Amino acid sequence: MTVSDSSAAGGPADRETGTAELREPQAPDGRSVGFLELFFDLTFVFAMSQVTHLMLDDISWQGFGRGVLALLALWWAWVCYAWLTNMFEIAREFHTVLMILAMATMFIAAIALPTAFTTGALVFGFALLAVRLINVGLFLASSSRDEEELAAAVRRLVPGLLVGPVLIVAGAFAPSPYRELLWVAAALADFGSPLRAGINGLRVVPSYFIHRHGLVIIIALGEAIISLGLGATENLHRPGVLGAVVLGVLISATLWWTYFGLTTGAEERMRRTPAPDRALLARDAYSYLHLPLVAGIVFFALGARVSVEHIDEPLSPLPALALTGGIALFYAAEVAYRWRDHHQLRVDRLLTAAATVLVYPVAISVPAGLSLIILALIGAMRLAWELWRRPQIGTGTAGAVH
């Protein structure tokens, strides 16, 4: 958080020189995302585009697999910092400098990402390790100033935070496919660490946690918009390209409305969850189940870019799978997320995922522009139904974007 954020710091006395430190805010439920986090997340805007670049350079099963592994590594790096800034305010200048240093090293990792499995493997691995070491240092420094239960929880998690990046560094010295296998092991270490070590004792600030994860969905959607623009830049001479861009934006908008139409209900659900259970809900619904939401958007971005570049031709199998499967994955992940969050099954989203998958045979048979039309209609019809029926999910009314 920022030094001057009065709503987070609690009052003028908290902001006096020499008293600022990593600390729990006095009014945690009202804390919002600060400018430092927004600045830090800029690196992930670029990193998301680099994942798409990695897959575009090698549109094959190997390329897609490497793209997934890269996304897993980036996602967990972001998750670790989201938990850090959720629990503690970054208020001292020294800690702010460390966050900016982490941002710089994350940017280096993002630059190296398209070659992370070839010539840039060592640069990516060491940059990611540096990002995680700074994260661990901030965790330990902050928790040592707080209650013992939180400090014990952090100490349990710290070893698992370092295993993944070390395995990726080791992968830089191994040939393929052993390099990819070490990346798989790194992902298992990252995602399995909270399950093995436990997260009892960690705190969750509802408003902050929900808003921060909403921002990462915006980042992913931003990558989809960027991909559409890049696909259209050199193809404006082709008939229908501008229309395809509009369709891509409309599809992105339906995904945006689907997610953010229930943000208020999700925040209220988190706030009503007893404090000991919040960390489990946050881990499952956000650290884990938001990953397929983001992955779905990233795959859609890839398919949309290829569609715009080849608007008058049927898509080849893998780009068609990215386009239709990415949207389907988003809706299916939405169902899983809402189920974990509210224990309600959203049949409309499930049916939309199924309908989108059924577009795949069409996408490899007809011009890409027609596939975009069909997908836009499916998303628009689902959204229109939701706006008409206004179903209740938890304490929120679907479709109400604030």
PDB file of all heavy atoms in Angstrom, residues 168-182:
ATOM      1  N   ILE A 168      13.089 -24.473 -11.408  1.00  0.00           N
ATOM      2  CA  ILE A 168      13.119 -23.834 -12.729  1.00  0.00           C
ATOM      3  C   ILE A 168      14.543 -23.427 -13.099  1.00  0.00           C
ATOM      4  O   ILE A 168      14.959 -23.555 -14.257  1.00  0.00           O
ATOM      5  CB  ILE A 168      12.149 -22.632 -12.762  1.00  0.00           C
ATOM      6  CG1 ILE A 168      10.703 -23.144 -12.738  1.00  0.00           C
ATOM      7  CG2 ILE A 168      12.388 -21.762 -13.995  1.00  0.00           C
ATOM      8  CD1 ILE A 168       9.652 -22.065 -12.691  1.00  0.00           C
ATOM      9  N   VAL A 169      15.310 -22.957 -12.121  1.00  0.00           N
ATOM     10  CA  VAL A 169      16.721 -22.655 -12.376  1.00  0.00           C
ATOM     11  C   VAL A 169      17.451 -23.937 -12.762  1.00  0.00           C
ATOM     12  O   VAL A 169      18.250 -23.958 -13.717  1.00  0.00           O
ATOM     13  CB  VAL A 169      17.376 -22.006 -11.143  1.00  0.00           C
ATOM     14  CG1 VAL A 169      18.892 -21.928 -11.324  1.00  0.00           C
ATOM     15  CG2 VAL A 169      16.810 -20.604 -10.910  1.00  0.00           C
ATOM     16  N   ALA A 170      17.191 -25.021 -12.052  1.00  0.00           N
ATOM     17  CA  ALA A 170      17.820 -26.301 -12.380  1.00  0.00           C
ATOM     18  C   ALA A 170      17.442 -26.745 -13.788  1.00  0.00           C
ATOM     19  O   ALA A 170      18.265 -27.310 -14.516  1.00  0.00           O
ATOM     20  CB  ALA A 170      17.403 -27.364 -11.359  1.00  0.00           C
ATOM     21  N   GLY A 171      16.204 -26.451 -14.187  1.00  0.00           N
ATOM     22  CA  GLY A 171      15.747 -26.805 -15.528  1.00  0.00           C
ATOM     23  C   GLY A 171      16.541 -26.119 -16.621  1.00  0.00           C
ATOM     24  O   GLY A 171      16.638 -26.628 -17.750  1.00  0.00           O
ATOM     25  N   ALA A 172      17.117 -24.972 -16.314  1.00  0.00           N
ATOM     26  CA  ALA A 172      17.911 -24.247 -17.316  1.00  0.00           C
ATOM     27  C   ALA A 172      19.151 -25.033 -17.716  1.00  0.00           C
ATOM     28  O   ALA A 172      19.705 -24.813 -18.803  1.00  0.00           O
ATOM     29  CB  ALA A 172      18.320 -22.880 -16.768  1.00  0.00           C
ATOM     30  N   PHE A 173      19.587 -25.947 -16.872  1.00  0.00           N
ATOM     31  CA  PHE A 173      20.783 -26.738 -17.160  1.00  0.00           C
ATOM     32  C   PHE A 173      20.443 -28.125 -17.723  1.00  0.00           C
ATOM     33  O   PHE A 173      21.345 -28.928 -17.961  1.00  0.00           O
ATOM     34  CB  PHE A 173      21.611 -26.902 -15.883  1.00  0.00           C
ATOM     35  CG  PHE A 173      22.107 -25.604 -15.317  1.00  0.00           C
ATOM     36  CD1 PHE A 173      21.415 -24.961 -14.305  1.00  0.00           C
ATOM     37  CD2 PHE A 173      23.260 -25.003 -15.822  1.00  0.00           C
ATOM     38  CE1 PHE A 173      21.863 -23.758 -13.784  1.00  0.00           C
ATOM     39  CE2 PHE A 173      23.715 -23.797 -15.305  1.00  0.00           C
ATOM     40  CZ  PHE A 173      23.018 -23.174 -14.289  1.00  0.00           C
ATOM     41  N   ALA A 174      19.161 -28.386 -17.912  1.00  0.00           N
ATOM     42  CA  ALA A 174      18.730 -29.704 -18.395  1.00  0.00           C
ATOM     43  C   ALA A 174      18.168 -29.582 -19.811  1.00  0.00           C
ATOM     44  O   ALA A 174      17.558 -28.573 -20.158  1.00  0.00           O
ATOM     45  CB  ALA A 174      17.664 -30.283 -17.466  1.00  0.00           C
ATOM     46  N   PRO A 175      18.372 -30.584 -20.638  1.00  0.00           N
ATOM     47  CA  PRO A 175      17.806 -30.557 -21.987  1.00  0.00           C
ATOM     48  C   PRO A 175      16.312 -30.882 -21.941  1.00  0.00           C
ATOM     49  O   PRO A 175      15.787 -31.415 -20.963  1.00  0.00           O
ATOM     50  CB  PRO A 175      18.584 -31.659 -22.713  1.00  0.00           C
ATOM     51  CG  PRO A 175      18.930 -32.639 -21.623  1.00  0.00           C
ATOM     52  CD  PRO A 175      19.166 -31.812 -20.397  1.00  0.00           C
ATOM     53  N   SER A 176      15.633 -30.562 -23.042  1.00  0.00           N
ATOM     54  CA  SER A 176      14.234 -30.956 -23.173  1.00  0.00           C
ATOM     55  C   SER A 176      14.174 -32.463 -23.421  1.00  0.00           C
ATOM     56  O   SER A 176      15.061 -33.007 -24.101  1.00  0.00           O
ATOM     57  CB  SER A 176      13.614 -30.203 -24.348  1.00  0.00           C
ATOM     58  OG  SER A 176      12.256 -30.490 -24.491  1.00  0.00           O
ATOM     59  N   PRO A 177      13.235 -33.212 -22.856  1.00  0.00           N
ATOM     60  CA  PRO A 177      12.038 -32.806 -22.108  1.00  0.00           C
ATOM     61  C   PRO A 177      12.245 -32.723 -20.601  1.00  0.00           C
ATOM     62  O   PRO A 177      11.283 -32.455 -19.874  1.00  0.00           O
ATOM     63  CB  PRO A 177      11.061 -33.934 -22.440  1.00  0.00           C
ATOM     64  CG  PRO A 177      11.928 -35.145 -22.522  1.00  0.00           C
ATOM     65  CD  PRO A 177      13.220 -34.675 -23.137  1.00  0.00           C
ATOM     66  N   TYR A 178      13.475 -32.952 -20.102  1.00  0.00           N
ATOM     67  CA  TYR A 178      13.707 -32.911 -18.661  1.00  0.00           C
ATOM     68  C   TYR A 178      13.491 -31.492 -18.118  1.00  0.00           C
ATOM     69  O   TYR A 178      13.073 -31.323 -16.966  1.00  0.00           O
ATOM     70  CB  TYR A 178      15.110 -33.415 -18.340  1.00  0.00           C
ATOM     71  CG  TYR A 178      15.338 -34.828 -18.829  1.00  0.00           C
ATOM     72  CD1 TYR A 178      16.133 -35.081 -19.938  1.00  0.00           C
ATOM     73  CD2 TYR A 178      14.729 -35.905 -18.190  1.00  0.00           C
ATOM     74  CE1 TYR A 178      16.332 -36.377 -20.395  1.00  0.00           C
ATOM     75  CE2 TYR A 178      14.927 -37.203 -18.646  1.00  0.00           C
ATOM     76  CZ  TYR A 178      15.731 -37.433 -19.758  1.00  0.00           C
ATOM     77  OH  TYR A 178      15.901 -38.703 -20.205  1.00  0.00           O
ATOM     78  N   ARG A 179      13.776 -30.504 -18.949  1.00  0.00           N
ATOM     79  CA  ARG A 179      13.533 -29.120 -18.532  1.00  0.00           C
ATOM     80  C   ARG A 179      12.048 -28.910 -18.252  1.00  0.00           C
ATOM     81  O   ARG A 179      11.677 -28.356 -17.209  1.00  0.00           O
ATOM     82  CB  ARG A 179      14.011 -28.158 -19.630  1.00  0.00           C
ATOM     83  CG  ARG A 179      13.750 -26.693 -19.323  1.00  0.00           C
ATOM     84  CD  ARG A 179      14.417 -25.815 -20.365  1.00  0.00           C
ATOM     85  NE  ARG A 179      15.880 -25.982 -20.304  1.00  0.00           N
ATOM     86  CZ  ARG A 179      16.716 -25.468 -21.186  1.00  0.00           C
ATOM     87  NH1 ARG A 179      16.257 -24.763 -22.215  1.00  0.00           N
ATOM     88  NH2 ARG A 179      18.015 -25.648 -21.059  1.00  0.00           N
ATOM     89  N   GLU A 180      11.200 -29.373 -19.166  1.00  0.00           N
ATOM     90  CA  GLU A 180       9.757 -29.219 -18.967  1.00  0.00           C
ATOM     91  C   GLU A 180       9.271 -30.007 -17.746  1.00  0.00           C
ATOM     92  O   GLU A 180       8.385 -29.545 -17.013  1.00  0.00           O
ATOM     93  CB  GLU A 180       8.995 -29.672 -20.215  1.00  0.00           C
ATOM     94  CG  GLU A 180       9.100 -28.726 -21.396  1.00  0.00           C
ATOM     95  CD  GLU A 180      10.408 -28.840 -22.171  1.00  0.00           C
ATOM     96  OE1 GLU A 180      11.243 -29.709 -21.798  1.00  0.00           O
ATOM     97  OE2 GLU A 180      10.615 -28.081 -23.126  1.00  0.00           O
ATOM     98  N   LEU A 181       9.852 -31.178 -17.513  1.00  0.00           N
ATOM     99  CA  LEU A 181       9.464 -31.969 -16.349  1.00  0.00           C
ATOM    100  C   LEU A 181       9.822 -31.267 -15.043  1.00  0.00           C
ATOM    101  O   LEU A 181       9.071 -31.334 -14.057  1.00  0.00           O
ATOM    102  CB  LEU A 181      10.138 -33.344 -16.408  1.00  0.00           C
ATOM    103  CG  LEU A 181       9.624 -34.302 -17.478  1.00  0.00           C
ATOM    104  CD1 LEU A 181      10.465 -35.578 -17.513  1.00  0.00           C
ATOM    105  CD2 LEU A 181       8.150 -34.642 -17.247  1.00  0.00           C
ATOM    106  N   LEU A 182      10.942 -30.567 -15.032  1.00  0.00           N
ATOM    107  CA  LEU A 182      11.306 -29.794 -13.843  1.00  0.00           C
ATOM    108  C   LEU A 182      10.349 -28.624 -13.635  1.00  0.00           C
ATOM    109  O   LEU A 182      10.046 -28.252 -12.488  1.00  0.00           O
ATOM    110  CB  LEU A 182      12.744 -29.306 -13.958  1.00  0.00           C
ATOM    111  CG  LEU A 182      13.812 -30.386 -13.713  1.00  0.00           C
ATOM    112  CD1 LEU A 182      15.193 -29.887 -14.128  1.00  0.00           C
ATOM    113  CD2 LEU A 182      13.810 -30.811 -12.248  1.00  0.00           C
TER     114      LEU A 182
END
